[in-house]
């Protein structure tokens, strides 16, 4: 049986339930969901001091010389950040999240409109000189998240995947990053 990518990816729970049904493992699927929801609730409590009420969180990616904004269903921790932790994107990013569209390419000039108080950033197939140019640019350096040490550089390999094990690991990574930056 072929299941096209994205069939169930509104939420990891839908994936788990679908595979539980296909494999006649509904009880195991529901047990995983319960365990994950409990872990997410605990994580939300842990980060309350790191992400204050009213603060926004966004997911971004530098690919070569292009910068993208990502929603909740395109990997890079979207399921964790927006669904499990229930963190709020800034208004311009919320449009991307709500539209469930592929990553949105933005120019560096409009980055302040999409910037969040906390920014999770991955890089993919990007030369060091392109990273230096982008992250050294005055527009980027003047973002409040940069000035407040709320940029969380995540590895592409850790944040790309969208499966139960990856999402559990991403939950741990996101919480670790938020708490570590809070301590600085």
């Amino acid at each position: 049986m072929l299941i096209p990518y994205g069939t169930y990816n509104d939420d990891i729970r839908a994936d788990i339930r679908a595979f539980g049904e296909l494999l006649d493992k509904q009880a195991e699927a529901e047990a995983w969901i319960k365990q994950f929801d409990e872990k997410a609730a605990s994580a939300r409590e842990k980060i309350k001091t790191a992400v204050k009420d009213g603060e926004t969180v966004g997911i971004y990616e530098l690919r070569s010389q292009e910068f993208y904004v990502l929603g909740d269903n395109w990997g890079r921790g979207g399921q964790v950040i927006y669904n499990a932790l229930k963190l709020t994107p800034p208004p311009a990013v919320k449009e991307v999240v709500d539209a469930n569209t592929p990553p949105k390419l933005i120019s560096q000039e409009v980055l302040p409109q999409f910037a969040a108080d906390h920014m999770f950033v991955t890089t993919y197939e990007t030369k060091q000189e392109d990273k230096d140019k982008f992250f050294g640019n005055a527009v980027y350096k003047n973002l409040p998240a940069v000035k407040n040490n709320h940029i969380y550089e995540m590895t592409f390999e850790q944040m790309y995947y969208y499966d139960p094990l990856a999402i559990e690991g991403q939950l741990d990574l996101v919480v670790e990053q938020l708490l570590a930056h809070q301590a600085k």
Side-chain angles (χ1 to χ4, degrees):
M1 168 181 261
L2 175 66
I3 301 171
Y5 178 78
T7 300
Y8 304 108
N9 77 347
D10 286 342
D11 188 321
I12 191 65
R13 292 161 194 83
D15 277 355
I16 295 296
R17 285 188 175 108
F19 281 98
E21 184 79 23
L22 287 169
L23 301 170
D24 196 27
K25 301 273 186 182
Q26 295 92 335
E28 289 89 338
E30 292 303 322
W32 184 90
I33 291 168
K34 182 177 188 272
Q35 169 276 140
F36 181 74
D37 286 345
E38 289 170 357
K39 183 175 182 175
S42 174
R44 286 192 297 274
E45 286 299 313
K46 286 179 186 175
I47 64 168
K48 278 186 175 181
T49 58
V51 180
K52 309 281 189 276
D53 282 341
E55 289 185 331
T56 59
V57 180
I59 305 168
Y60 309 86
E61 185 166 278
L62 179 62
R63 291 185 209 162
S64 187
Q65 298 175 5
E66 298 177 331
F67 199 70
Y68 292 84
V69 176
L70 290 96
D72 57 346
N73 289 318
W74 298 94
R76 304 349 172 259
Q79 283 288 323
V80 166
I81 290 168
Y82 298 127
N83 296 338
L85 294 175
K86 302 181 186 307
L87 297 172
T88 305
V93 175
K94 186 170 179 358
E95 290 179 22
V96 175
V97 173
D98 290 348
N100 195 22
T101 58
K104 179 180 179 73
L105 174 64
I106 63 169
S107 68
Q108 196 161 36
E109 292 75 28
V110 301
L111 177 57
Q113 297 168 29
F114 289 85
D117 297 306
H118 299 266
M119 297 174 64
F120 285 85
V121 180
T122 57
T123 57
Y124 179 68
E125 295 182 343
T126 305
K127 296 177 185 170
Q128 188 60 47
E129 62 209 42
D130 292 331
K131 289 179 190 178
D132 294 343
K133 182 179 177 184
F134 185 87
F135 297 125
N137 182 289
V139 171
Y140 180 82
K141 290 173 97 174
N142 283 309
L143 294 174
V146 173
K147 291 180 177 182
N148 294 322
N149 192 34
H150 291 161
I151 299 292
Y152 313 98
E153 293 182 35
M154 310 298 282
T155 68
F156 179 83
E157 295 76 16
Q158 290 174 315
M159 302 307 287
Y160 176 75
Y161 298 99
Y162 174 88
D163 61 72
L165 292 176
I167 297 221
E168 279 195 84
Q170 290 166 6
L171 180 60
D172 294 336
L173 289 170
V174 167
V175 169
E176 284 172 17
Q177 285 293 312
L178 288 168
L179 295 178
H181 281 244
Q182 172 192 10
K184 291 181 181 180

